[in-house]
Amino acid sequence: MTATAATAPADVYERLTNARLSPAQRRIARYVIDHRDAAAFLTSESIARQVGVSQPSVSRFAAALGYARFSDFKRALQKWARSEMSALSLSGESASPLAEAIGAEVANLQWLGQSVTLEEQISRVGSALMSSQRLPVIGLRISRSFAQHFAYLGAKVHPNISVIDRGDTEAKESLARAAAEGGTWCLAFILPRYPREACDLVRYARQIGFKAAVLSDESFATVGHETDELITVRLGSGLLFDTSAAMNIASSALLHAMVDSNPGASQDGLERFERHATDLVLFED
């Protein structure tokens, strides 16, 4: 018996290897087997893009394996991913810090994917952020890179997005100016250890009329900070510095929700950027 067969739950592994599949479906099966940890948390659309097939092809693939719904197939894959970490532990082998960190992040993503309210919240907050004529994005210290990344991508679909990455009176002036120019929502990334200046900026923003959405971890709510929308993720703490795969997913999902809430304006913005990129030859072919 191969190592793959030994560590995979018998049901999903046998279906993937023994089912009568078309050549296109065998390509999907090969991708799933080779990338099971990632595939376990992808949508059918994402798997389709990775393999180069249509989304309905992935749905038909799951049906060909005997699953009533793609979600049933996805749950089987997630059991597969968990079983490999369990098998490593039961074997008595000592996992490396990297392997342990990856396993912890897989669990964090699984927890995020099982939230029954997250998708609706992401959609609601994304629509609210897109409707704000000015959109300040707050991120200080360790959270600065998240704010900058969000604003860099968000600027392609929202015409008036800006980053606030310092916690002084100038930052408060920027917030006040954004509010005067039609800003109704702000977004803040606040990761542990929750910089006091970032919390103060969120508090100030709410005082001057903004509603505030905050992306943070579960513990943020327990320290008594007030927000209008708190989107929580779990961070990995097995390495010297925290890892934050779930934060990246939540941030990208929020951007996606902004686009979905106003597809016409978003498409205009994306096309403007592509014209700009072409004119300036921004990227290598």
Side-chain angles (χ1 to χ4, degrees):
M1 181 178 292
T2 66
T4 301
T7 56
D11 182 61
V12 66
Y13 181 76
E14 289 179 2
R15 295 189 193 200
L16 282 165
T17 54
N18 296 328
R20 295 181 63 85
L21 302 174
S22 69
Q25 290 169 341
R26 286 198 293 271
R27 288 177 56 210
I28 302 172
R30 186 70 263 164
Y31 173 81
V32 169
I33 291 170
D34 291 343
H35 304 87
R36 50 195 171 276
D37 290 340
F41 300 96
L42 295 178
T43 64
S44 58
E45 291 86 353
S46 296
I47 292 176
R49 284 195 296 270
Q50 292 295 327
V51 180
V53 299
S54 66
Q55 184 277 329
S57 295
V58 177
S59 298
R60 289 193 293 269
F61 165 74
L65 295 180
Y67 295 98
R69 297 177 297 274
F70 176 80
S71 59
D72 297 329
F73 173 57
K74 188 173 178 179
R75 279 193 291 272
L77 287 183
Q78 290 171 357
K79 290 180 181 179
W80 187 354
R82 290 197 301 271
S83 74
E84 294 207 331
M85 293 304 298
S86 299
L88 180 62
S89 176
L90 291 172
S91 71
E93 298 179 20
S94 177
S96 69
L98 175 60
E100 290 181 350
I102 292 172
E105 286 290 40
V106 168
N108 290 341
L109 291 174
Q110 181 181 8
W111 176 85
L112 192 69
Q114 290 174 342
S115 172
V116 296
T117 60
L118 179 65
E119 187 169 353
E120 190 278 330
Q121 184 185 29
I122 289 284
S123 177
R124 181 177 66 247
V125 174
S127 179
L129 297 181
M130 194 67 175
S131 70
S132 184
Q133 293 184 32
R134 292 280 181 176
L135 179 58
V137 182
I138 299 168
L140 278 61
R141 297 184 180 272
I142 192 66
S143 302
R144 179 179 291 114
S145 61
F146 288 100
Q148 291 172 338
H149 182 259
F150 185 94
Y152 172 77
L153 296 175
K156 294 173 173 53
V157 296
H158 192 296
N160 295 305
I161 191 170
S162 59
V163 176
I164 296 179
D165 58 4
R166 50 195 293 180
D168 54 14
T169 55
E170 187 175 344
K172 291 184 176 180
E173 289 176 17
S174 296
L175 281 170
R177 185 164 53 251
E181 294 173 351
T184 54
W185 278 84
C186 67
L187 174 67
F189 293 85
I190 306 181
L191 275 67
R193 301 163 57 192
Y194 318 125
R196 180 178 294 114
E197 303 130 310
C199 297
D200 287 345
L201 284 177
V202 171
R203 189 175 301 112
Y204 175 75
R206 298 181 81 236
Q207 288 174 355
I208 63 174
F210 275 107
K211 290 188 176 181
V214 173
L215 273 76
S216 188
D217 71 329
E218 292 177 292
S219 299
F220 184 79
T222 68
V223 296
H225 297 302
E226 296 182 3
T227 66
D228 296 283
E229 293 278 3
L230 176 60
I231 300 173
T232 59
V233 301
R234 288 182 175 177
L235 306 178
S237 57
L239 300 177
L240 179 60
F241 300 107
D242 286 347
T243 55
S244 47
M247 180 64 78
N248 286 322
I249 293 289
S251 177
S252 293
L254 197 54
L255 285 164
H256 190 92
M258 289 173 61
V259 171
D260 280 350
S261 72
N262 193 341
S266 298
Q267 185 63 29
D268 289 343
L270 291 171
E271 290 177 359
R272 280 195 301 272
F273 174 77
E274 290 302 324
R275 289 194 296 270
H276 174 73
T278 300
D279 291 344
L280 298 181
V281 196
L282 292 183
F283 306 112
E284 294 288 347
D285 290 334

